[in-house]
Amino acid sequence: MSFRDDSEENRNDLRRPFMHTGSWYRMGSRQSSMMGSSQVIRDSSISVLACVLIVALGPIQFGFTCGYSSPTQAAITKDLGLTVSEYSVFGSLSNVGAMVGAIASGQISEYIGRKGSLMIAAIPNIIGWLCISFAKDTSFLYMGRLLEGFGVGIISYTVPVYIAEIAPQNMRGALGSVNQLSVTIGIMLAYLLGLFVPWRILAVLGILPCTVLIPGLFFIPESPRWLAKMGMTDDFETSLQVLRGFETDITVEVNEIKRSVASSTKRSSTVRFVDLKRRRYYFPLLVGIGLLVLQQLGGINGVLFYSSTIFESAGVTSSNAATFGVGAIQVVATAISTWLVDKAGRRLLLTISSVGMTISLVIVAAAFYLKGFVSPYSDMYSMLSILSVVGVVLMVVSFSLGMGPIPWLIMSEILPVNIKGLAGSIATLANWFFSWLITMTANLLLAWSSGGTFTLYAVVCAFTVVFVTLWVPETKGKTLEELQALFR
């Protein structure tokens, strides 16, 4: 039986990817000796890595959006006369826009492909940054933040899914973690540039990742698994051949993907919400949503969005410089996680990360609580200030080792191919809803009680340890097709 029968041909033509593999890929796979440039991508790791580095510009944009609100808070509130509540709304509106983007992300990526989704996501990001840069009051400021969030919502789902679908089994963990590594680089860049440039110019600089991403998308292949699902046999095999190298035998992987797609199509051609009650669907969705929700409830975005304010309340004189230091440490810790994830495994790193976050947050909470009982001019007060900063740094390091990169990685790995669009949208929406909740309330909670706020975050991280231990499966060393079979 052929992989795509004639009766489906017209339907599939209507669902061609927005930007699929171009003719030069076919020439390269069939006549590689005629192309001098083909030598560069003969090795599978080089080809896949090039694709990952291009799409990683999306998460850099994601991180820049997250980090922008921290170094600019004092300047924006002064220039535009905003209150703390108004600035909290500004900081959290990116999450509201991301929720809308998350709802649309799954269906957009299913119908026009992963690359087409990233193209659509880049445009509102560019417009949003321009709105913020030229804002004279809260209307343009809020509009720009919403547009940025919409694009980031699509990026946050599409990039980890694309990377998981193109990566070889033995590299999927490391390459998948590049998503979160890029987010931390974006955050660090926002912190660093915020030390030297005004907030309006910083907004203009925020345009750069997406302006480079758009042309870059024309030079990489579409996800072979998505092409296979759409029934585009020739494009699917060409894309996989480019990703694995022109001289690599891809027969076994092609057959595995075909069997998996055929099995998913046979079980259900149209997935509805009622289908999610089956264990093969609800369990991976539960794990994906659980990790992405707990990632946010641990308070990381509250710390990252308003780190300058936290350091000021801790008594640090140069709070913006300290914030950049935290961003740089986060990049290093995430890079270490990227190296470890295919060696140590997902579960171990998640456990170490959540335990470390719990201990760190307890230290910060205790330091802020005890500062209320000592004189601001005493040596003990200075020691407690240092302790609180150390605790925040340890929290960020612990988060970056596991709870930062791995929830997105596991979500992209375990969701079955025939519900990935619907289930991925639900999981991403849940993540962004709780991100908005934390971002919106963090400033208000810190004004109420810094010690109480960090205590609440510590309780959530302690529960995360239990959740990982009881319900999260180990995905290291398994193909995406093996993981789908596991949940059946």
Side-chain angles (χ1 to χ4, degrees), residues 302-449:
V303 172
L304 294 179
F305 275 48
Y306 305 112
S307 53
S308 293
T309 303
I310 293 170
F311 286 136
E312 283 178 9
S313 63
V316 176
T317 305
S318 183
S319 58
N320 282 340
T323 297
F324 165 69
V326 169
I329 291 170
Q330 187 181 20
V331 172
V332 174
T334 307
I336 293 172
S337 175
T338 300
W339 175 67
L340 286 175
V341 69
D342 278 324
K343 297 177 174 63
R346 283 56 155 167
R347 278 168 53 91
L348 177 61
L349 288 179
L350 283 173
T351 302
I352 293 173
S353 174
S354 50
V355 169
M357 288 179 69
T358 303
I359 295 172
S360 303
L361 288 166
V362 168
I363 291 173
V364 177
F368 274 110
Y369 178 75
L370 293 173
K371 284 173 69 175
F373 296 94
V374 298
S375 169
Y377 306 103
S378 65
D379 292 338
M380 178 60 71
Y381 189 90
S382 299
M383 291 175 61
L384 290 173
S385 296
I386 294 172
L387 185 63
S388 62
V389 171
V390 170
V392 169
V393 171
L394 290 176
M395 177 209 176
V396 172
V397 170
S398 299
F399 175 83
S400 301
L401 287 174
M403 284 303 293
I406 295 179
W408 290 108
L409 172 61
I410 289 181
M411 183 273 292
S412 66
E413 290 177 324
I414 66 176
L415 292 181
V417 65
N418 59 323
I419 70 160
K420 186 164 281 187
L422 174 61
S425 291
I426 295 172
T428 308
L429 174 63
N431 178 269
W432 281 109
F433 172 77
F434 284 97
S435 176
W436 167 79
L437 186 67
I438 293 298
T439 308
M440 185 65 186
T441 59
N443 252 350
L444 304 176
L445 285 172
L446 289 169
W448 160 68
S449 170

Side-chain angles (χ1 to χ4, degrees), residues 24-36:
W24 78 270
Y25 288 117
R26 292 193 180 89
M27 288 176 61
S29 61
R30 294 173 185 171
Q31 303 175 12
S32 57
S33 61
M34 297 175 62
M35 295 177 59

